[in-house]
Amino acid sequence: MHTIDQDGPARPRQALSRTRHAVPVVLVALVGTTLAGAFAAAVPPGQPYDEPAHWANVLFYLDHGSMPVLGQPGVQYEAQMGPVYYALSAAVLALAGGGHGEASFSLLRAGWLILIPLLAALTYRLALLVGVRRTSAALGTALVVLNPLVLAMSASIQNDVLCIVLGAAGSLLALQAMKKPDGPLRPHAMAGAVLGLAVLTKVFALGLVVGLLVAYAVDWRLTAWHRLGRGLAALAAMAAVSGWWFVRNVILYGDLTGQSGVAAAGYRFPALRFSGAGSVLAWGRSLVSYAYAPTEYFRNAVNAPTWLEAAAVASTGGIVLALLLRWWRSRAAHVRRRPDTRQEPTGYPSAVVFALAATFVVFIGYAVLAWTSQGIAPRLTFVAAPLAAALLAWAAESPAGRAALGAALVVFVVSGVWLARSVAGLPSMPYWIFGAPHG
């Protein structure tokens, strides 16, 4: 006797639905990869900030098979960085036959473009777990993948985008693990291990670890012992992966991150100087510029036109107004005791707490360091960009919010095209990468 599978017709429909919802994300990944490929092909070698120092690290790993030490001949100021990006890049060059020339350089620029579709998929999944609807999740994904700075970084030799992707992967594992209150500790340890790889790529990923610990601490679905166990499992795994690097820095340079070695080698990055409200406004303008038209990443060799600066300011103001409008409506609905259920997150509280805490810790950490210690670039905060975009898409999930984010996306794409064309017209200075400075 034959039986009818009641789930049979539903499964193809579910698969078709998932495929249909994946189409916008695939398109975003394709557009992002294409634009980043244009950057990689057009930008002169060494034009992006720090690219010569990152390239020097890759070649050191390739030639010596070991980590560089600040103060050694030919070693530059990025030598204190963790080894993940450089070791992987050197391995790729070794498999391709090695070499210090333009062919190897171009190979790495093109090869690391694979991170863009990975970043798109991870950001989309993070947004869904935070509680964002699929349309808004795709929009948040586009805001990350098509951001001009992300495109510029993806197309250059640097460790930022790999750190962002590893941080997003670790965050996704953590959110999936936290979704199950009665789940085992192993998934939390796996999340900590992947976040440890992110830290071992760029130390700013520690902000994600702190955000995760905060989310564990306030997860009231669990007993205190369960929360402590999850936190310790993640922290122990992170320490097992990256702890040795901090110990090495203390032994070599006398501090956890090697900044003393950077200073001892003669590299100086002065902190921002407070000189009244004007300095704070200039800093805020720099933050907006990095998000919309990151000319500083290309050594300020080009200047953003007035119309683009105006569009960036207007777009930022539109997003702020949309967020304030949603907050006001939610507050008014709460006062009337008629919550706007359409605006409620479909995820779970710990996911939102994690996104909030990680984004806050990363940004505040950057701000404190920039104003008190050294003038680090705002791009370091992009390690939290996938979580921040998911949070923004959730917070702005209303018609006005989606319109504001859509307008920002248009500005991003226009700015990215303008920036790629402008930087492509700069004269090449190959000595930055392929030889000693002339004269």
Side-chain angles (χ1 to χ4, degrees):
M1 183 175 68
H2 297 286
T3 59
I4 298 176
D5 184 358
Q6 299 295 331
D7 294 330
R11 289 175 181 172
R13 286 198 298 270
Q14 291 172 354
L16 182 62
S17 176
R18 286 194 295 267
T19 302
R20 185 175 68 252
H21 288 305
V23 169
V25 181
V26 173
L27 289 177
V28 166
L30 287 174
V31 172
T33 304
T34 301
L35 289 174
F39 271 101
V43 175
Q47 189 67 47
Y49 241 116
D50 298 332
E51 190 173 53
H54 289 299
W55 174 244
N57 272 4
V58 172
L59 296 184
F60 190 96
Y61 279 77
L62 177 65
D63 294 339
H64 301 277
S66 62
M67 297 177 65
V69 177
L70 287 162
Q72 290 179 322
V75 172
Q76 299 188 31
Y77 57 88
E78 298 288 2
Q80 91 287 358
M81 291 281 184
V84 175
Y85 173 83
Y86 309 113
L88 290 175
S89 297
V92 169
L93 294 186
L95 290 173
H100 291 202
E102 294 188 40
S104 295
F105 179 85
S106 298
L107 173 64
L108 279 189
R109 270 194 176 182
W112 280 115
L113 295 180
I114 188 62
L115 293 176
I116 295 177
L118 293 176
L119 180 59
L122 290 167
T123 303
Y124 183 69
R125 289 294 302 154
L126 279 172
L128 292 180
L129 283 175
V130 168
V132 182
R133 291 169 177 82
R134 293 184 183 275
T135 301
S136 296
L139 181 56
T141 300
L143 288 173
V144 174
V145 175
L146 302 183
N147 179 272
L149 179 58
V150 172
L151 294 173
M153 293 191 300
S154 299
S156 60
I157 307 296
Q158 44 63 52
N159 56 3
D160 293 85
V161 180
L162 179 59
C163 180
I164 295 171
V165 169
L166 288 172
S171 299
L172 180 60
L173 289 173
L175 291 183
Q176 289 174 333
M178 284 191 291
K179 196 173 183 179
K180 302 175 181 178
D182 56 347
L185 292 180
R186 181 180 298 178
H188 300 276
M190 291 178 59
V194 176
L195 289 176
L197 285 175
V199 171
L200 206 53
T201 304
K202 214 171 186 77
V203 72
F204 240 69
L206 276 174
L208 304 181
V209 179
V210 176
L212 179 59
L213 296 178
V214 171
Y216 285 145
V218 300
D219 192 348
W220 307 120
R221 301 171 301 171
L222 306 173
T223 66
W225 283 111
H226 279 89
R227 281 178 269 155
L228 180 62
R230 289 183 172 191
L232 288 177
L235 196 60
M238 187 276 292
V241 171
S242 62
W244 64 269
W245 177 72
F246 293 99
V247 174
R248 177 182 183 269
N249 285 332
V250 171
I251 294 173
L252 287 176
Y253 309 118
D255 66 81
L256 291 172
T257 61
Q259 292 307 308
S260 298
V262 175
Y267 299 105
R268 296 288 187 273
F269 304 95
L272 300 177
R273 296 184 61 183
F274 178 76
S275 56
S279 60
V280 178
L281 290 175
W283 178 57
R285 181 180 177 183
S286 175
L287 295 179
V288 174
S289 174
Y290 255 99
Y292 285 90
T295 56
E296 186 177 333
Y297 185 70
F298 294 110
R299 304 174 187 271
N300 290 315
V302 295
N303 294 317
T306 302
W307 61 264
L308 183 54
E309 292 181 345
V313 172
S315 175
T316 303
I319 292 173
V320 172
L321 286 175
L323 293 175
L324 289 174
L325 180 62
R326 179 183 170 177
W327 172 79
W328 178 259
R329 287 178 174 174
S330 298
R331 181 176 179 273
H334 180 73
V335 169
R336 293 193 304 267
R337 297 185 179 181
R338 288 187 299 161
D340 186 356
T341 55
R342 294 172 302 168
Q343 304 294 336
E344 291 300 310
T346 57
Y348 49 99
S350 296
V352 178
V353 170
F354 176 36
L356 276 170
T359 302
F360 178 81
V361 169
V362 167
F363 180 78
I364 294 301
Y366 151 73
V368 170
L369 286 174
W371 285 97
T372 63
S373 179
Q374 57 177 310
I376 53 179
R379 69 176 182 272
L380 294 179
T381 62
F382 272 59
V383 68
L387 284 170
L391 197 62
L392 183 62
W394 165 67
E397 201 163 38
S398 66
R402 284 190 290 270
L405 297 185
L409 181 59
V410 171
V411 178
F412 281 179
V413 174
V414 171
S415 176
V417 173
W418 168 82
L419 188 59
R421 294 186 61 181
S422 299
V423 179
L426 296 175
S428 179
M429 297 185 179
Y431 62 80
W432 279 348
I433 293 289
F434 303 117
H438 303 303

